[in-house]
C-alpha cells in the first residue's frame, strides 16, 4: 500500500495535465483546491481537536508551511518541466536532499560508490531529454518558464526551473523526515491540522496572484471540480495511507525503496501524456535512471540496516 500511496501524487499530476487542468487553472488555485478538498478526508479519519496542545500545533504549522509550498511548487513543475523527464529530475533533486550528506561524507573518505548513483541519474536524464524531442539539445524545461530580468539583465530560463525543483525537493524531504521524527501519538493529528496553515498560505497566494475570486473561478468550474476530485482521491489513496505507514514505523529513508518503481511509472506516464516515445538513446537513458534508482535503494537499505 505504501508503494501505491507514494505513486499517487505523481499520477494525479499527470492526469491533471492530460485533462487540461494545468492549461486552464492557475497553479496556485489548483494547489489550493487540492489541499482544501483533501484536508476533510484527513479530518474524517483523525478528527483532531482544534484545542490541541501547542506541541501539536507547532508541528502542524511546520508541516503546513512545507505542504503549502510543496503543493505550489509541484504545480509549477508540472507546467515548467517537460513531462517525460519530470520524474527522473524529481528523483535526482530529492535524492540530493535525502542522500547528499552521505555522498559528501563518502567522497571525503574517498569512497565514491555512493556518488555513482546521482551521476548515473544526471546522465540518464540528459540523454532522455535529448532523445524524446526531435532536435532537442538537452533542455528539460518548457516554454512556460517565465523570462525574468534582474537589473535589466535577462536571467536564463533554467534558473527559475532549477529553483522550483530545488524548493519542491527540499520541502518534500522536510515533510518526510518530520513525519518520521514525530511522536507516534501526534503524527496523524499534526498532519491533519497542517491543512489549515497550508490552506491559508495558498488562499492568500491565489487571491493576490491570480486575480481574486473572479480570476480564480471564471469559466473554470469543470476543471476546479476535477481538482477537488484529485485532492480527495490523493488524500484518501495517498496521504492517509502514508500517514498510517508512518504511524506503523515507516522511516523516511525507507521510501528510497519505492524510487525504482516510481521513476519507471512516472517516466512512462510522462511520455504518454507528452505523446513522445523513446528511441535507442532514450531506452538506454531509462535504463541508467532505473539503475540509479535501484542503486540508491541498495545503498539506503544498507544504511538503514546499520542504523
Amino acid at each position: 500500500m505504501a508503494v501505491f500511496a507514494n505513486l499517487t501524487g505523481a499520477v494525479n499530476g499527470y492526469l491533471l495535465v492530460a485533462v487540461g487542468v494545468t492549461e486552464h487553472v492557475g497553479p496556485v488555485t489548483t494547489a489550493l483546491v487540492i489541499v482544501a478538498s483533501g484536508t476533510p478526508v484527513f479530518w474524517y479519519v483523525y478528527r483532531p481537536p482544534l484545542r490541541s496542545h501547542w506541541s501539536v500545533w507547532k508541528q502542524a504549522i511546520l508541516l503546513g508551511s512545507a505542504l503549502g509550498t510543496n503543493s505550489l511548487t509541484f504545480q509549477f513543475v508540472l507546467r515548467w518541466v517537460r513531462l517525460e523527464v519530470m520524474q527522473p529530475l524529481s528523483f535526482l533533486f530529492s535524492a540530493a536532499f535525502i542522500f547528499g550528506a552521505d555522498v559528501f561524507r563518502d567522497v571525503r573518505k574517498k569512497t565514491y560508490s555512493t556518488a555513482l548513483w546521482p551521476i548515473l541519474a544526471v546522465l540518464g536524464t540528459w540523454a532522455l531529454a535529448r532523445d524524446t524531442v526531435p532536435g532537442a539539445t538537452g533542455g528539460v524545461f518548457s516554454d512556460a518558464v517565465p523570462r525574468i530580468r534582474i537589473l535589466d539583465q535577462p536571467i536564463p530560463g533554467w534558473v527559475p526551473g532549477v529553483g522550483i525543483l530545488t524548493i519542491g525537493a527540499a520541502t518534500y524531504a522536510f515533510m518526510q523526515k518530520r513525519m518520521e521524527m514525530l511522536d507516534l501519538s501526534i503524527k496523524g493529528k499534526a498532519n491533519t491540522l497542517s491543512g489549515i496553515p497550508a490552506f491559508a498560505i495558498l488562499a492568500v497566494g491565489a487571491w493576490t496572484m491570480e486575480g481574486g475570486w473572479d480570476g480564480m473561478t471564471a469559466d473554470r468550474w469543470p476543471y476546479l471540480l476535477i481538482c477537488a476530485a484529485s485532492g480527495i482521491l490523493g488524500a484518501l489513496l495517498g496521504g492517509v495511507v502514508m500517514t498510517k505507514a508512518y504511524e506503523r514505523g515507516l522511516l523516511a529513508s525507507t521510501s528510497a525503496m519505492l524510487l525504482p518503481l516510481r521513476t519507471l511509472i512516472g517516466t512512462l506516464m510522462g511520455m504518454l501524456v507528452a505523446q513522445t516515445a523513446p528511441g535507442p538513446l532514450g531506452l538506454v537513458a531509462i535504463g541508467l535512471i532505473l539503475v540509479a534508482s535501484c542503486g540508491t535503494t541498495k545503498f539506503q537499505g544498507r544504511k538503514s540496516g546499520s542504523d
Side-chain angles (χ1 to χ4, degrees):
M1 287 298 289
V3 173
F4 180 73
N6 203 277
L7 290 168
T8 302
V11 172
N12 266 352
Y14 290 122
L15 291 177
L16 291 179
V17 175
V19 299
V21 169
T22 57
E23 180 181 354
H24 294 91
V25 182
V28 194
T29 301
T30 302
L32 171 65
V33 174
I34 289 174
V35 169
S37 59
T39 298
V41 175
F42 280 92
W43 212 276
Y44 176 80
V45 175
Y46 290 101
R47 302 180 185 181
L50 288 175
R51 293 185 178 181
S52 295
H53 194 272
W54 168 244
S55 61
V56 177
W57 270 109
K58 177 183 177 180
Q59 300 302 328
I61 292 172
L62 290 173
L63 283 171
S65 299
L67 173 62
T69 305
N70 183 264
S71 300
L72 177 58
T73 55
F74 179 64
Q75 294 304 319
F76 278 108
V77 166
L78 286 173
R79 291 159 173 80
W80 291 3
V81 178
R82 285 172 44 200
L83 297 179
E84 59 268 36
V85 294
M86 187 185 81
Q87 194 61 51
L89 276 178
S90 297
F91 156 66
L92 178 61
F93 278 74
S94 297
F97 283 96
I98 296 174
F99 309 118
D102 297 296
V103 171
F104 181 74
R105 184 186 63 245
D106 288 353
V107 169
R108 290 189 62 183
K109 293 179 179 179
K110 297 184 178 181
T111 303
Y112 301 103
S113 60
T114 305
L116 173 64
W117 312 124
I119 291 173
L120 285 179
V122 171
L123 290 174
T125 302
W126 174 80
L128 188 60
R130 288 183 61 89
D131 182 77
T132 51
V133 174
T137 57
V140 297
F141 300 109
S142 71
D143 294 335
V145 178
R147 300 295 179 255
I148 301 174
R149 302 181 70 89
I150 297 180
L151 298 178
D152 204 32
Q153 297 298 317
I155 302 300
W158 61 265
V159 173
V162 169
I164 211 71
L165 281 166
T166 301
I167 296 171
T171 51
Y172 172 80
F174 174 82
M175 288 189 295
Q176 301 305 309
K177 288 291 186 180
R178 181 61 56 175
M179 284 298 294
E180 175 189 322
M181 294 169 57
L182 287 179
D183 185 83
L184 177 62
S185 63
I186 68 170
K187 288 182 190 289
K189 295 178 182 178
N191 203 30
T192 301
L193 292 172
S194 70
I196 296 177
F199 176 83
I201 292 171
L202 293 171
V204 172
W207 190 271
T208 57
M209 296 172 61
E210 296 182 352
W213 180 257
D214 290 337
M216 294 161 58
T217 62
D219 299 323
R220 296 182 176 91
W221 285 108
Y223 298 105
L224 294 175
L225 290 175
I226 294 173
C227 289
S230 173
I232 293 171
L233 291 175
L236 182 62
L237 302 179
V240 171
V241 172
M242 286 300 292
T243 302
K244 293 287 187 182
Y246 276 114
E247 289 178 333
R248 295 176 182 176
L250 175 69
L251 300 178
S253 55
T254 307
S255 64
M257 296 180 182
L258 309 178
L259 288 176
L261 179 61
R262 187 176 66 185
T263 303
L264 174 62
I265 293 178
T267 301
L268 294 178
M269 283 199 66
M271 289 182 173
L272 178 64
V273 175
Q275 298 182 356
T276 60
L281 180 62
L283 294 175
V284 173
I286 293 174
L288 287 174
I289 293 166
L290 289 177
V291 168
S293 299
C294 292
T296 304
T297 299
K298 182 178 178 181
F299 160 72
Q300 188 56 44
R302 184 174 67 250
K303 178 177 178 292
S304 299
S306 63
D307 288 343

